[in-house]
Amino acid sequence: MQLNDRLHKLNTAQIITFGFAGVIILGGLLLWLPFCAAPGNHTSFSDAMFTATTCVCVTGLVTVVTASHWSMAGRVIILLLIQIGGVGLISLGSIIFISLRKKISLRNRRIIQESYNLDRMSGMVVVVKRVLLCVLGAEGIGTVCYAFRFVPQFGVVRGVGQSVFTAVSAFCNAGIDLLGEESLAPYVSDPVVNFTTMGLIIMSGLGFVVWWDLWDKIKKVFRRKLSVGRIYRSLRLHSKIVVTMTAILVIGGTVLIFLFDFHNPDSMGGYSTGTKLMASMFQAVTTRTAGFFTISQERFSNATYLLCLLLMIIGGSPMGTAGGIKTTTIAVLAMSLLANLRGKNDVEAHNRRIRESYLRSAIVVAGMGLFTVFVMSILLCAAMPEAPVADVIYEIISAAATVGLSRGLTPQLSTAGKWIVIITMYLGRIGPLTLGTAVTVRAQKRSPNAHLAEEDIMIG
């Protein structure tokens, strides 16, 4: 009874924190069992926990080759962990309640509201159902698209299995595949695999709220209640910011990578112009928390390396499966900077004022994200002094932003190094969720009239 009372008193941030930890530990213990490894392979406890963490946190960094190390049972568990991590624990628990025809309590509705950062509590069951429908629909379409390539190559049974696994991993932004150490490198010039993967990554990175907003406007176009030219202007402010930021990052990243590595013989200098453009776009998209690659990361130029660090830190958008500090966080910080430079008191976007609580959340999420990267980079350098600093920074940012790309350092991690990356992946996954939720909720509860006395300090 006392345990139930304590569990009942947990807030949303604590539920997310302990929930993810519990699933990771359970998944790690299952993967540690001998039957989860392929015949002749042995899984250490650190590798089992590393794999469980990278799946639940939908990161994609792996210390063992997924295609050859794990048995069928291990692969099924990995797929389930990826799906749990992608859909989210709150949504998954709600789906189970709905499936059992149980009523969702007021407290659980509040948890759903806070975890998704929604502005109202009504329609929570509808929200969860729509999330599930979107996830299964997108993964189903991705599976069909991949099947056109994988079934002729691997046969019906294995081809369908590859298609399902890759579609789930791509949409959930996990970046784990059953194709071997080279990921999608053999398909660098294959438009079916490339554009299917990019489509799933971009769609999941937009966030479900943006999906629903766009779909609502598209339906109005078909009903002739809205013209095509007014779709963007009629979107909610959140959707406008997400769509604009996504377009800037994808298009800008593609163009810059294309220019930086056009003549680089180590990366894509030997490909045709069309393949170079497709490979550049894939790199710009996958660095925003996907983890697949068509060109090994260590082959890119230094300019592309630095650009990819930025793209990984930003990541995707809220209420999706992507990681990073999120596009809206960067947008709010950038708009705040411009507002201050112009001497404005309010942060404005598209003739709307951004709430101060959202600016506060953006500062906290970005600040804690960068602080985590800095501290964990120092710890990994201390644990592995022989590792190049550039590779360490890339590894830590990839883990913190739940991207899953590496410059070859992951398989070489020491035991201490593995646990540092495990902690980084965990913090990167739950950090933006819990910090954003906690700061917003506290800001709403604080009295607007409570202020302390002011005193001057010097800045700059």
Side-chain angles (χ1 to χ4, degrees), residues 173 194-195 197-206 241-260 276-290 304 307-308 310-312 314-317 322 327:
N173 282 200
N194 274 262
F195 285 102
T197 307
M198 286 190 287
L200 290 170
I201 295 169
I202 291 173
M203 290 302 293
S204 62
L206 288 175
I241 293 174
V242 168
V243 170
T244 301
M245 287 295 296
T246 300
I248 290 173
L249 294 173
V250 172
I251 296 172
T254 299
V255 172
L256 290 175
I257 293 171
F258 182 77
L259 294 175
F260 292 156
K276 288 178 182 178
L277 190 59
M278 188 163 60
S280 300
M281 186 175 185
F282 191 95
Q283 181 67 15
V285 171
T286 195
T287 47
R288 297 183 55 234
T289 81
T304 297
L307 176 62
C308 289
L310 177 62
L311 293 173
M312 288 194 295
I314 296 173
S317 304
T327 54

Side-chain angles (χ1 to χ4, degrees), residues 317-365:
S317 304
M319 204 180 168
T321 59
I325 62 176
K326 304 294 188 295
T327 54
T328 48
T329 300
I330 291 296
V332 168
L333 292 175
M335 289 185 290
S336 176
L337 176 62
L338 290 175
N340 280 280
L341 289 174
R342 293 172 180 174
K344 293 184 177 181
N345 294 325
D346 297 327
V347 179
E348 301 171 354
H350 298 283
N351 297 318
R352 293 290 186 273
R353 183 176 66 87
I354 305 296
R355 292 179 186 174
E356 185 181 347
S357 61
Y358 294 145
L359 175 58
R360 189 180 295 110
S361 294
I363 293 172
V364 172
V365 169

Side-chain angles (χ1 to χ4, degrees), residues 161-187:
Q162 289 278 11
S163 301
V164 171
F165 195 99
T166 309
V168 172
S169 184
F171 184 78
C172 292
N173 282 200
I176 300 173
D177 61 77
L178 300 176
L179 300 169
E181 296 182 19
E182 296 184 332
S183 186
L184 300 181
Y187 305 94

